[in-house]
Amino acid sequence: MNKLIVKESLFFLAVFTCIQLPIAAMAQPATRSNYESINVKQFLGDRQITVSTPKDIAAKLFSSDRESEGRKSDAISVEYPLRETAVIVHTVIGLADDSVAGMRHRIELAFKQNKWEIVWIGRQSKCQPNRGHQNWAAGRCK
């Protein structure tokens, strides 16, 4: 093979890789870091969720959150970072609580043996002013 063709091919491969890596990194949801791990069975039981599909779980989370006093926003995202994985992030800002301003849950699912299974759940909070951390973090508010 001609050396010039090989060099051009390697150049285009390098350029393509440099363009694709940042796009892929931006598409990935936040990792488990800075989340407090919580008990899956207790979380599901408290919210009366039976595992079915990621979209069904997200809809159940959104519809079961009735209290809205002080609520500024409520958002749910469902992402599929890999073919057989899903990540649900449920964020509520403006809680009727004197110390916690917002709460975020991250629910990770895997598609195994033709069904979705929750493999991990984590929680973050954002504190009210002068009540602890002001950014999303795993720690409790004062």
Side-chain angles (χ1 to χ4, degrees):
M1 190 183 286
N2 187 330
K3 287 184 181 182
L4 180 59
I5 294 172
V6 172
K7 285 182 180 180
E8 286 178 352
S9 297
L10 290 174
F11 172 77
F12 286 116
L13 179 62
V15 169
F16 179 77
T17 302
C18 290
I19 291 170
Q20 292 299 313
L21 287 177
I23 293 170
M26 288 177 10
Q28 294 296 321
T31 64
R32 291 180 182 182
S33 65
N34 215 15
Y35 278 86
E36 171 189 359
S37 182
I38 60 176
N39 183 289
V40 172
K41 288 182 181 180
Q42 182 177 350
F43 180 88
L44 296 176
D46 290 348
R47 288 159 183 79
Q48 300 177 348
I49 296 173
T50 57
V51 177
S52 53
T53 69
K55 288 182 181 179
D56 290 341
I57 294 169
K60 177 70 174 173
L61 284 170
F62 195 76
S63 68
S64 68
D65 200 5
R66 300 276 182 228
E67 185 182 322
S68 62
E69 182 183 339
R71 183 74 40 93
K72 293 180 182 173
S73 69
D74 194 340
I76 292 183
S77 69
V78 180
E79 296 183 22
Y80 298 85
L82 300 171
R83 183 179 168 160
E84 295 184 351
T85 64
V87 177
I88 300 169
V89 177
H90 181 211
T91 305
V92 178
I93 298 174
L95 298 174
D97 189 293
D98 62 347
S99 62
V100 181
M103 186 69 63
R104 177 184 289 163
H105 289 95
R106 176 185 171 90
I107 303 166
E108 296 180 3
L109 299 99
F111 193 72
K112 298 178 180 178
Q113 300 175 356
N114 294 324
K115 65 179 183 171
W116 286 100
E117 176 184 319
I118 295 177
V119 295
W120 186 83
I121 300 178
R123 171 179 47 220
Q124 288 180 326
S125 61
K126 186 184 277 191
C127 303
Q128 298 284 5
N130 302 316
R131 299 301 301 259
H133 54 276
Q134 299 299 293
N135 296 316
W136 292 109
R140 301 284 183 178
C141 299
K142 302 175 192 174

